[in-house]
Structure formats: structure tokens, C-alpha cells
């Protein structure tokens, strides 16, 4: 399945402290650091720690890519920096190709030379991903089994299909997979050849099932604590 690409800069924590300055020095051409946008976000969020603040790099529109602001921030618990979002400036939304194009351009023009300067490395995820990117293989196989065997005109309404569907949702809950309904709908349409309406119906059912299981787990924990 085609996905939005992710960009990380990882390495020695001491070297990463020099990354913001290096990024700013290498942000040239269509890229520049936008301190005003950063200050506005800092005031709204109360994040005034220079090492933890969101860095903003703006790409001016050109023949290849639209105008957009790319945000860069540290994942302190993982010892790396990453791009959490890219926001269009002159349009309502970016296509996946535009988003990925901006990621690659920023990596090539700004992040990679900055990383070489301070001695860290740049990592960019692939443009396509299998289900195992989000979930353990046994959970992925349950989803594939449901999709391969289901009657695609009726979704999960047939008893056998419903049973396989429940097995997948329960397995996803038990593994605590971070796989949202929107990504499920995309996978069903793009990789499993489901009709768009049925894919959306299943995505809604998945979201509701995960929410119900999470609510029941919380209730069960609270009931257990009350008994102790």
C-alpha cells in the first residue's frame, strides 16, 4: 500500500543538540526556517523550551512542489528528530505525492547536509508498506484471511465472514496495534480490491469494535480494582 513517507534524524544525543542550527544553515533555495510560525505555535502550546520547540521550515512554491510548512521536532524518548506534519500554505490539502515529494526534497536539500555536518544520520521510510508495518504478522494474517475469504458484496455480514472479522478485531485489540480506520480503508481498497463503500463500512466497524473492546477492558480493570 502506498503511504505517507516519514523522515527521521537519529544519532548521538550530544550531536543532535547541534541539529537545529545546522538545519537552518542548510535551508536555502526554496526552503527557509520560519521563526515567526514557530513563535506563534510556541505561544499557543506553551512550549518555550528551545530544545523541545517545533522547528518550522517553509518551502516556497516552485514548478515541482507547492508552498508548505514542514514541522520538525525531537522524540526525546527515542533519541531522534522527526517530521510530524507538513501543512499546505496556498491550498486546502496536500496529495500523498506532494507530501512525499516535500519529504524527499527536504531530506536531500536540508536534512542530509545538516546531518553530515553534525555527524548524525537521516532515515526516510519507504513509499509503500505491508500490513506488518503496523501490526504483528499473526494479526496481519487474520486480516488477510478475512479479506481473502469474505464475500466482498456483503462485507462481514455472513456468519463465517463475521467470525473471521471478529477474530481480526480482537487480535488487533490484544496486540494494541496502532492501525487506524482510515489506513484500514485504504488497504482494503488499494491492496485487497474492496469497493470504496464497503471498505468504509468495515473501517467504521473496526473503529467501533476497537473502541468497545477498549471500553470493556477499562471497565474490567476498574471492577477488578474495586474487588481488591
Amino acid at each position: 500500500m502506498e503511504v505517507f513517507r516519514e523522515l527521521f534524524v537519529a544519532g548521538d544525543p550530544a550531536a543532535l543538540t547541534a541539529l537545529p542550527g545546522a538545519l537552518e544553515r542548510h535551508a536555502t533555495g526554496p526552503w527557509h526556517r520560519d521563526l515567526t510560525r514557530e513563535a506563534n505555535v510556541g505561544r499557543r502550546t506553551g512550549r518555550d523550551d528551545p530544545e523541545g520547540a517545533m522547528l518550522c521550515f517553509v518551502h516556497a512554491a516552485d514548478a515541482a512542489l507547492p508552498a508548505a510548512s514542514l514541522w520538525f521536532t525531537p522524540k526525546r524518548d527515542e533519541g531522534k528528530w522527526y517530521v510530524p506534519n507538513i501543512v499546505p500554505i496556498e491550498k486546502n490539502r496536500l496529495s500523498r505525492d506532494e507530501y512525499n515529494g516535500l519529504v524527499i526534497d527536504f531530506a536531500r536539500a536540508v536534512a542530509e547536509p545538516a546531518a553530515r555536518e553534525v555527524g548524525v544520520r537521516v532515515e526516510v521510510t519507504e513509499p509503500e508498506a505491508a500490513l506488518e508495518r503496523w501490526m504483528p504478522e499473526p494479526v496481519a494474517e487474520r486480516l488477510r484471511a478475512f479479506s481473502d475469504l469474505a464475500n466482498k458484496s456483503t462485507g462481514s455480514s455472513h456468519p463465517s465472514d463475521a467470525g473471521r472479522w471478529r477474530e481480526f478485531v480482537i487480535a488487533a485489540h490484544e496486540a494494541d496495534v496502532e492501525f487506524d480506520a482510515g489506513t484500514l480503508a485504504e488497504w482494503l481498497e488499494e491492496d485487497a480490491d474492496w469497493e470504496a463503500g464497503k471498505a468504509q463500512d468495515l473501517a467504521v466497524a473496526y473503529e467501533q469494535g476497537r473502541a468497545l473492546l477498549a471500553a470493556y477492558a477499562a471497565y474490567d480493570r476498574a471492577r477488578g480494582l474495586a474487588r481488591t
Side-chain angles (χ1 to χ4, degrees):
M1 182 176 72
E2 293 184 2
V3 294
F4 290 94
R5 304 185 75 170
E6 297 181 84
L7 186 154
F8 302 93
V9 178
D12 180 76
L16 287 172
T17 61
L19 184 62
L23 290 168
E24 185 170 4
R25 286 189 290 276
H26 290 281
T28 59
W31 291 100
H32 73 274
R33 185 175 175 184
D34 194 323
L35 298 175
T36 300
R37 289 176 189 269
E38 291 177 15
N40 289 339
V41 168
R43 283 194 294 270
R44 289 198 299 270
T45 62
R47 295 180 66 179
D48 55 1
D49 176 4
E51 293 185 1
M54 299 278 284
L55 305 183
C56 178
F57 295 89
V58 167
H59 181 277
D62 58 20
L65 294 168
S69 58
L70 178 148
W71 294 86
F72 209 57
T73 193
K75 280 191 171 183
R76 292 173 182 264
D77 57 333
E78 297 182 19
K80 62 177 65 173
W81 286 67
Y82 78 113
V83 175
N85 200 14
I86 305 176
V87 181
I89 293 176
E90 297 172 351
K91 57 193 303 186
N92 290 330
R93 61 178 299 177
L94 298 171
S95 69
R96 183 158 47 202
D97 286 345
E98 289 171 333
Y99 187 101
N100 288 345
L102 287 159
V103 168
I104 295 302
D105 193 77
F106 181 79
R108 176 192 57 79
V110 183
E112 289 177 355
R116 286 194 295 270
E117 178 184 324
V118 302
V120 294
R121 64 186 182 279
V122 174
E123 303 166 1
V124 180
T125 60
E126 295 297 320
E128 295 188 4
L131 286 172
E132 284 76 9
R133 173 176 174 175
W134 296 277
M135 63 189 72
E137 184 177 355
V139 182
E141 286 307 312
R142 289 187 183 278
L143 176 55
R144 292 191 182 101
F146 161 76
S147 179
D148 291 344
L149 297 171
N151 182 336
K152 289 185 169 59
S153 66
T154 58
S156 62
S157 61
H158 187 278
S160 297
D161 296 337
R164 285 186 286 269
W165 172 255
R166 287 193 295 268
E167 288 176 359
F168 158 64
V169 176
I170 291 169
H173 167 74
E174 290 180 338
D176 195 25
V177 300
E178 295 184 5
F179 185 64
D180 61 44
T183 306
L184 173 60
E186 287 187 37
W187 182 83
L188 289 167
E189 287 187 61
E190 295 179 12
D191 284 31
D193 297 323
W194 285 78
E195 184 269 332
K198 292 296 182 184
Q200 290 297 328
D201 290 344
L202 287 168
V204 171
Y206 169 77
E207 190 170 52
Q208 292 173 339
R210 290 290 304 271
L212 178 61
L213 289 167
Y216 179 77
Y219 166 77
D220 199 44
R221 286 193 299 270
R223 187 173 58 176
L225 290 172
R227 288 197 298 263
T228 59

